[in-house]
Amino acid sequence: MYYVVFVFFYLLSLLPMRILYILSDGVYLIVYYLIGYRKKVVMQNLDIAFPEKSKAEKVKIAKAFYHNLLDSFIETIKLVSASRRFLEKRITANWEVLDPLFESGRSCQLHLGHTFNWEWCHHVVGSHTKYQVLVVYMPLSSPAMEKLMYKLRVRYGNKFIAASKMSESMDSFKNTRYILGLVADQSPGNLNKAYWTNFFGRPTGFVSGPEKGARAGNLPVLFTHIIKPKRGYYQGFLEIACEDPSTLKEGELTLLYARYMEKVIRSNPEMWLWSHRRWKHPWNPIYTKNWIGGDLPVADQ
């Protein structure tokens, strides 16, 4: 099955981007208007995040999001045959921020959110830093797609680590200077260990692993986001959030990240993965010990 999928995607990836984007526009019409893929989830999320916006404004954001979602899918297919030169022409960032961190002799963490197109952008990082690029990811349920995506993701030297095997996998890199990429706006698997704070005014759980790892190793942490100046081109922004996380109070780094993501999403809402069920877990007072920042929510939220 893997080889059937690979050959199909390879042949499709050989098409010029202008043709692939026409295909993306056609699939958008089917996904948005006919299938309505997760449209209810998307609109519920937009209602939570932007109660001040009109329905028309939220529909406009939703449509732009679906265009970006389908473009991201098509662009990922393009990776099957795309060269690094192809990607370098289309992705820019302030990579120079990484240089003094590497020269300091320390590894670091890169916290990012579900902003498009992370599948293109991680390939380029290794060309602009001496760090070994490590990325924590969630394996796909389809064996064929997981094998294909894994091969695509590591083709230019990045190392991908399954989240379930992170602890043991990181031991092999303890003598390596690395930059560890973490999608830190994931919904937490263990709600009792999550940090909880208001995110767009709603009590929300954040995974605690990124902060705890940074504090334990006192690893500098960068926050990053991606914008789309025009179709098929992306610009990343990296900023140092904290050089000495061990000096922060517990939960403070996560709180900084939550506020950073709110700002990023408000600035370019169409770039975030609104089909992700970010607010699926309701607040429960039993999480009070892990509440960070501001007044505790009332019990019925």
Side-chain angles (χ1 to χ4, degrees):
M1 184 63 182
Y2 163 75
Y3 293 103
V4 174
V5 173
F6 176 82
V7 170
F8 174 73
F9 282 162
Y10 177 76
L11 294 175
L12 192 60
S13 74
L14 296 177
L15 294 172
M17 288 307 301
R18 64 180 182 278
I19 303 300
L20 289 174
Y21 284 136
I22 291 174
L23 178 61
S24 177
D25 289 340
V27 176
Y28 160 80
L29 296 175
I30 296 172
V31 169
Y32 184 79
Y33 288 103
L34 296 182
I35 300 175
Y37 170 74
R38 292 204 170 190
K39 188 183 290 188
K40 184 177 180 180
V41 172
V42 170
M43 295 310 299
Q44 286 176 340
N45 284 342
L46 288 171
D47 286 340
I48 291 171
F50 303 117
E52 77 283 1
K53 292 186 181 295
S54 68
K55 182 177 180 180
E57 289 174 313
K58 284 178 277 195
V59 168
K60 183 178 179 180
I61 293 172
K63 289 181 176 180
F65 154 72
Y66 277 100
H67 274 296
N68 284 330
L69 177 67
L70 274 302
D71 277 3
S72 178
F73 176 72
I74 289 295
E75 289 165 355
T76 300
I77 292 176
K78 186 66 177 179
L79 283 174
V80 179
S81 63
S83 65
R84 176 173 276 184
R85 181 181 178 187
F86 171 91
L87 295 171
E88 291 281 356
K89 289 169 59 179
R90 289 162 174 78
I91 300 165
T92 59
N94 55 327
W95 310 114
E96 66 277 2
V97 172
L98 300 175
D99 295 339
L101 292 176
F102 182 85
E103 295 303 323
S104 73
R106 306 164 73 190
S107 295
C108 63
Q109 288 188 2
L110 184 67
H111 296 189
L112 65 156
H114 285 87
T115 52
F116 303 112
N117 180 349
W118 59 85
E119 289 292 354
W120 266 20
C121 292
H122 77 79
H123 284 287
V124 179
V125 180
S127 300
H128 300 275
T129 181
K130 296 178 183 178
Y131 278 123
Q132 170 63 60
V133 180
L134 310 179
V135 183
V136 177
Y137 79 111
M138 299 294 291
L140 301 175
S141 58
S142 166
M145 287 303 298
E146 168 59 18
K147 184 176 180 180
L148 175 61
M149 288 302 299
Y150 184 82
K151 286 182 176 291
L152 292 180
R153 286 166 167 169
V154 302
R155 65 187 295 194
Y156 293 126
N158 293 349
K159 306 292 185 182
F160 270 67
I161 301 169
S164 60
K165 300 179 179 179
M166 185 176 173
S167 296
E168 56 264 40
S169 297
M170 289 303 296
D171 284 341
S172 61
F173 298 104
K174 61 184 178 182
N175 295 320
T176 302
R177 267 185 283 179
Y178 58 79
I179 180 168
L180 179 64
L182 296 158
V183 180
D185 63 345
Q186 293 275 13
S187 292
N190 189 328
L191 301 180
N192 290 308
K193 291 185 178 180
Y195 290 123
W196 286 80
T197 190
N198 280 322
F199 186 58
F200 283 99
R202 179 71 64 93
T204 309
F206 280 79
V207 289
S208 59
E211 171 175 326
K212 289 183 177 179
R215 283 165 53 85
N218 199 28
L219 302 176
V221 174
L222 299 101
F223 294 164
T224 187
H225 69 281
I226 306 164
I227 66 169
K228 191 175 185 177
K230 63 179 180 178
R231 200 173 198 181
Y233 291 81
Y234 297 92
Q235 185 174 5
F237 294 88
L238 295 82
E239 62 179 71
I240 298 175
C242 182
E243 293 198 46
D244 297 293
S246 64
T247 65
L248 299 179
K249 296 179 181 178
E250 184 174 2
E252 188 174 351
L253 183 62
T254 301
L255 185 60
L256 288 172
Y257 176 74
R259 299 298 168 257
Y260 172 83
M261 284 305 303
E262 284 180 332
K263 179 181 68 174
V264 164
I265 294 167
R266 288 186 187 280
S267 296
N268 295 278
E270 73 285 353
M271 292 293 287
W272 198 53
L273 190 66
W274 292 102
S275 55
H276 177 48
R277 294 185 63 200
R278 192 64 188 87
W279 291 282
K280 64 182 177 181
H281 300 299
W283 166 253
N284 188 312
I286 64 174
Y287 311 139
T288 295
K289 66 182 187 301
N290 294 329
W291 180 261
I292 54 175
D295 296 331
L296 281 167
V298 295
D300 61 351
Q301 278 190 282

